[in-house]
Amino acid sequence: MRDFEYEAPTTLAAAIELVAKHNGSARCLAGGTDLIDQVRVGRLTPDVLIDVKKIAELNVLEHGATGLRLGAAVPCYQVYGHCGIVSDYAALADSCRIIGGVQIQSRASVGGNLCNSGPAADSTPSLIVLGAVAVIAGPKGRREVAVEDFCTGPGKNVLQPSELLVELKFPARAANSGSHYRRFIPRNEMDIAVVGVGASVVLNDAKDKFVSARIALGAVAPTPLFAKAVGDALAGQPINDETIAKAATAARAIAVPIDDMRGTKEFRLHITGVLTERVLKAAVARARGEHVDCRIGH
Amino acid sequence: MAKKRIVTTTLNGNQTEFLCEPRQTLLEVLRDNMDLTGTKEGCSNGNCGACTVILNGRPVDSCLVLAVEAEGATVRTIEGVATAAGLDPIQKAFLEGAALQCGICTPGFIMQSEWFLSQNPKPTEDEIRFNLAGNLCRCTGYDKIVRAVQDAATTWQDHYMKNCHEKGCH
């Protein structure tokens, strides 16, 4: 593998200084499940890897009345092993359970998944529908960017060469809310999404109407796509097959997939509709307190 | 060339120091520096699980871990599974059930299965298959591997339950 230096700062200030000093020639190392492979094959050529796992702020995992804080380096297994996330931010737990296999989940982080900025990243649609905000730090201080505005193209995002992602902040969940993420892959596990869909809904007290909904689509555009208009159109609508089918049609209309080895454009558009319906129904079921079986084939 | 680092780990129960370059993976160091060649290299990109080791109590693909990251860590490899008393029950189950052919994937499957049974001593077939999704085998077609894990779980449940209680996972 290419020769590089390794640094493992223990404070955020030291990490910011290192990232800024190397101004683009350093990469932050969290789980390394994408990064180490990318360095090995020569897709990335960093001079320094900055291991951020020893920094307290990047390992934060706090859930309370004001919402959820998820440090950028927290690995997937801690996300789906956290009762508060499983109950209140279920879409995120759904994503983390299907990223790679168990070995990958021991190391891979949601923050890393976001910073890699792949269009098919499994956790990003969940972050978007749950309203997550990326907290970014650099030499000029901190700034916050809504996750739907974070990715700018395949492998590209708003991070400047001198900045790093510190944590993801989520607002508290509303009463009568539920969320879900699901993807289509030709295998049962260990594959990259052909299409992925996340949805989060808030229902009225009678649980027969949508108060609001957020939907995000993966692998059907150059970046994970926030389908804002599709979710907004559901507000105030009754929950039935017709309104959900309309949302699916609207989701298909904004998807701009490509043909590639994983699927054709036509197939991806079809799957976008199918998954939007299923994911919305599952999010509604969760908001009603019903159990949703996420196993393959269910 | 980046300076070599001294890394101190607890490797299969023994405090161990090794010298490595930042660019070396844990897999390379285990095999090339420590002569622990039981851990296998398959795909080298995190798909096949042949290089699975237990790092700080969690299974990882050692091809996707830098050796320098193991500073202060506990590492367990296939060489640490059998004891003076004999093979681990999961190793016996693989042998008795002929759950291997060429054997390259076997150390990874053993590490992952042993860890899994220590977390979940009474798994369903679905749970076994899900937990072994990160391990690939080109020979067996998986059924014999799944049966070996089921046999180990049934025959040796007390053994794995004990591990499970000691680790406080249930």
Side-chain angles (χ1 to χ4, degrees):
Chain A
M1 194 165 7
R2 173 191 171 80
D3 190 33
F4 52 77
E5 287 288 350
Y6 169 84
E7 302 279 359
T10 54
T11 66
L12 183 57
I16 293 168
E17 200 174 300
L18 278 167
V19 172
K21 185 175 106 184
H22 293 286
N23 195 34
S25 66
R27 294 291 293 205
C28 289
L29 168 69
T33 53
D34 280 311
L35 179 60
I36 292 173
D37 183 51
Q38 286 168 358
V39 175
R40 191 195 328 266
V41 300
R43 252 178 73 196
L44 291 174
T45 54
D47 294 327
V48 188
L49 293 193
I50 301 171
D51 188 342
V52 293
K53 290 190 291 296
K54 294 179 181 168
I55 302 166
E57 286 91 333
L58 277 85
N59 287 305
V60 161
L61 184 48
E62 279 178 18
H63 177 224
T66 55
L68 171 69
R69 293 177 63 201
L70 177 67
V74 175
C76 286
Y77 83 91
Q78 287 186 18
V79 173
Y80 62 71
H82 189 285
C83 298
I85 296 178
V86 171
S87 64
D88 286 10
Y89 300 86
L92 185 60
D94 295 335
S95 295
C96 289
R97 256 187 233 108
I98 59 173
I99 291 177
V102 175
Q103 293 97 323
I104 296 294
Q105 293 160 6
S106 293
R107 298 253 300 163
S109 65
V110 173
N113 201 214
L114 181 61
C115 290
N116 273 307
S117 302
D122 280 311
S123 64
T124 308
S126 296
L127 296 179
I128 292 172
V129 299
L130 295 169
V133 171
V135 179
I136 297 166
K140 290 179 191 159
R142 289 192 179 214
R143 65 187 178 113
E144 297 189 352
V145 175
V147 169
E148 57 263 34
D149 300 323
F150 188 89
C151 299
T152 53
K156 294 188 176 144
N157 58 52
V158 299
L159 282 179
Q160 297 297 308
S162 60
E163 291 180 322
L164 75 153
L165 179 67
V166 179
E167 67 171 75
L168 295 151
K169 285 197 318 192
F170 301 73
R173 299 288 286 159
N176 306 327
S177 63
S179 66
H180 184 42
Y181 173 81
R182 184 172 284 229
R183 70 179 175 198
F184 175 84
I185 54 173
R187 297 170 65 188
N188 283 346
E189 305 297 339
M190 292 285 288
D191 210 344
I192 295 170
V194 177
V195 177
V197 176
S200 173
V201 300
V202 180
L203 311 185
N204 62 347
D205 286 340
K207 296 181 181 171
D208 59 1
K209 279 185 182 166
F210 292 101
V211 171
S212 64
R214 286 170 72 91
I215 296 166
L217 314 174
V220 295
T223 63
L225 202 58
F226 178 32
K228 186 173 187 309
V230 181
D232 287 350
L234 283 170
Q237 297 294 309
I239 299 164
N240 57 41
D241 286 351
E242 193 191 334
T243 55
I244 289 174
K246 264 190 195 167
T249 305
R252 283 179 52 140
I254 63 155
V256 283
I258 55 169
D259 288 321
D260 70 8
M261 59 186 275
R262 280 189 279 277
T264 61
K265 187 177 167 179
E266 184 189 9
F267 180 66
R268 281 192 158 109
L269 286 173
H270 174 69
I271 296 295
T272 300
V274 172
L275 285 183
T276 300
E277 283 193 30
R278 288 187 189 173
V279 170
L280 270 172
K281 284 178 181 171
V284 166
R286 279 181 170 159
R288 288 171 170 166
E290 295 161 13
H291 176 70
V292 173
D293 198 335
C294 294
R295 282 178 302 154
I296 297 306
H298 294 265
Chain B
M1 177 84 58
K3 248 197 348 209
K4 286 195 175 184
R5 314 287 181 105
I6 297 170
V7 176
T8 306
T9 63
T10 303
L11 180 55
N12 295 327
N14 302 313
Q15 187 167 327
T16 307
E17 278 189 359
F18 57 79
L19 195 61
C20 70
E21 293 177 49
R23 65 173 168 177
Q24 282 185 290
T25 63
L26 181 58
L27 171 64
E28 274 177 70
V29 167
L30 287 171
R31 290 183 56 85
D32 300 345
N33 300 28
M34 312 301 293
D35 219 16
L36 293 174
T37 54
T39 305
K40 302 303 181 195
E41 178 174 17
C43 65
S44 261
N45 60 23
N47 272 290
C48 80
C51 65
T52 301
V53 301
I54 309 299
L55 178 68
N56 291 330
R58 290 282 314 182
V60 298
D61 295 316
S62 60
C63 71
L64 293 180
V65 178
L66 297 179
V68 286
E69 290 183 80
E71 171 61 38
T74 302
V75 182
R76 187 168 147 79
T77 70
I78 187 69
E79 287 86 352
V81 174
T83 63
L87 295 179
D88 185 88
I90 188 73
Q91 292 175 304
K92 284 183 196 161
F94 268 64
L95 267 180
E96 285 163 15
L100 65 150
Q101 287 177 34
C102 85
I104 288 283
C105 70
T106 311
F109 270 100
I110 298 277
M111 297 312 289
Q112 183 65 24
S113 304
E114 191 218 21
W115 174 84
F116 171 56
L117 289 175
S118 78
Q119 306 291 306
N120 183 352
K122 293 191 212 175
T124 64
E125 182 183 337
D126 266 7
E127 288 169 339
I128 293 170
R129 288 184 184 273
F130 185 84
N131 270 274
L132 292 175
N135 293 78
L136 300 184
C137 172
R138 310 200 316 177
C139 307
T140 63
Y142 300 101
D143 281 358
K144 287 187 169 185
I145 292 174
V146 172
R147 262 180 261 148
V149 178
Q150 287 173 317
D151 286 350
T154 310
T155 315
W156 299 92
Q157 210 174 81
D158 291 348
H159 170 91
Y160 291 109
M161 285 294 254
K162 184 169 158 282
N163 282 353
C164 200
H165 285 308
E166 279 167 8
K167 289 172 186 164
C169 44
H170 284 288

